[in-house]
Amino acid sequence: MATKARIPDTDATLRGSVGLESSYRELNDVQLHVVAAGDPDDPLVVLLHGHPDFWYGWRDQIGPLVDAGYRVVVPDQRGCNLSDAPDDIDAYRLSNLTADVRALIHDEGQESAHVVGHDFGGFVAWHLALGSPSMVDTLGILNVPHPTVYGKALRSSPRQMLRSWYVWFYQVPRLPEWLLGRNDMANMVQSLEYTSHEGTFDDETIERYRAAWQHTGVEPRVNWYRGFRRSDSPQRTTVTQPTLICWGEDDVALSPSMAQQSVDYCDDGQLRMYPDASHWVHHERPAVTDELVRHLTENGR
């Protein structure tokens, strides 16, 4: 009998850093894998990855935030890497994804946190700040628009509709999973390379991502977008917390015009645009990490 190939570890040992640890938390009826670092008594920062990412996407930000005096926790969001992957599409509604983050903050013994999100994790961060404002001290957003701005663009901008083709494609039953999972997830790899600048993801990093996708398969990640389409809009539109938006202008999926429009929905918003940077701006521009640390330090508790 053939022996099934072992999937490489994709927990905190990927970094091999002293003080970086993995745990499994029973939160909101799912088990989430969480990577954490820093003194538990320090102010809390929660970093939220997007698609097709996992906790490892924040590897370059964890250390500088800890050095700046923060406790940093980075969950694999439900359906990703080592976290549970419910079968029901409704499990991936934004109401459940934000509930996971609220439960994680409370599990850390805190009533609030600084929250930073990239890509789909940015949508979770926006919704958390709008739906549970008392739980978000400051908000950091990387290359994803305010939900109201995005909704308007999908209704009125043919260019953005075209750029967001994948959102509609992911609503098709079974076909996206088959296409993304075939040939050892070659199309998932291509999505990383297509949305980034050359050299952003080297061969070793891509293999780590491929291993993370193998743990749960691609269906739960597609279900994020199906759940997104079933999610309710936030009851309010104005973000009251200090907000920093960092945006790589070469994003192939999201128009940079939505960045400034998103700031207009923030009472205290700042925008940093990065020419010649892609959707993966925090991988390609070290200045983004510096801006995040400065944002938290100047506006946090």
Side-chain angles (χ1 to χ4, degrees), residues 156-183:
S156 62
S157 170
R159 181 177 177 83
Q160 186 55 55
M161 292 177 197
L162 183 61
R163 286 186 171 199
S164 297
W165 67 269
Y166 56 92
V167 176
W168 319 116
F169 173 65
Y170 286 163
Q171 308 308 311
V172 178
R174 295 184 293 277
L175 180 60
E177 292 92 324
W178 177 77
L179 285 174
L180 293 174
R182 66 194 294 266
N183 296 332

Side-chain angles (χ1 to χ4, degrees), residues 30-262:
V30 295
Q31 180 176 264
L32 296 185
H33 169 247
V34 179
V35 170
D39 190 328
D41 292 329
D42 286 341
L44 179 62
V45 180
V46 177
L47 304 177
L48 300 173
H49 68 80
H51 172 78
D53 216 341
F54 67 118
W55 75 265
Y56 190 63
W58 293 108
R59 61 194 178 278
D60 294 331
Q61 286 70 49
I62 296 173
L65 285 167
V66 170
D67 291 343
Y70 294 96
R71 165 73 168 174
V72 182
V73 297
V74 193
D76 283 328
Q77 294 202 71
R78 61 169 64 196
C80 300
N81 192 32
L82 300 175
S83 290
D84 282 350
D87 294 328
D88 187 12
I89 292 174
D90 286 338
Y92 299 92
R93 289 175 183 253
L94 281 163
S95 57
N96 283 314
L97 295 172
T98 54
D100 290 348
V101 182
R102 290 196 300 270
L104 178 58
I105 292 171
H106 288 148
D107 193 62
E108 283 286 314
Q110 302 292 337
E111 294 300 318
S112 63
H114 304 282
V115 180
V116 182
H118 170 247
D119 185 81
F120 204 100
F123 278 124
V124 178
W126 281 119
H127 277 254
L128 182 67
L130 290 166
S132 302
S134 65
M135 296 195 70
V136 178
D137 298 321
T138 66
L139 182 65
I141 297 292
L142 309 183
N143 272 77
V144 73
H146 184 288
T148 300
V149 172
Y150 188 59
K152 288 182 177 179
L154 288 182
R155 293 190 296 271
S156 62
S157 170
R159 181 177 177 83
Q160 186 55 55
M161 292 177 197
L162 183 61
R163 286 186 171 199
S164 297
W165 67 269
Y166 56 92
V167 176
W168 319 116
F169 173 65
Y170 286 163
Q171 308 308 311
V172 178
R174 295 184 293 277
L175 180 60
E177 292 92 324
W178 177 77
L179 285 174
L180 293 174
R182 66 194 294 266
N183 296 332
D184 199 20
M185 301 188 181
N187 283 326
M188 292 281 280
V189 172
Q190 186 179 45
S191 73
L192 283 181
E193 296 174 336
Y194 176 69
T195 58
S196 64
H197 283 175
E198 185 176 358
T200 300
F201 298 98
D202 59 24
D203 291 343
E204 181 181 1
T205 302
I206 285 175
E207 288 311 306
R208 290 175 174 179
Y209 274 85
R210 200 193 304 267
W213 301 330
Q214 289 173 341
H215 283 292
T216 58
V218 298
E219 182 175 8
R221 293 174 179 269
V222 175
N223 281 341
W224 274 18
Y225 290 88
R226 293 169 178 154
F228 178 78
R229 295 289 298 163
R230 298 184 181 190
S231 296
D232 295 328
S233 299
Q235 292 185 343
R236 57 174 60 86
T237 59
T238 302
V239 175
T240 57
Q241 302 89 337
T243 301
L244 172 68
I245 300 175
C246 296
W247 199 286
E249 293 184 17
D250 290 348
D251 195 316
V252 298
L254 298 167
S255 171
S257 65
M258 293 192 290
Q260 181 58 58
Q261 294 172 37
S262 296

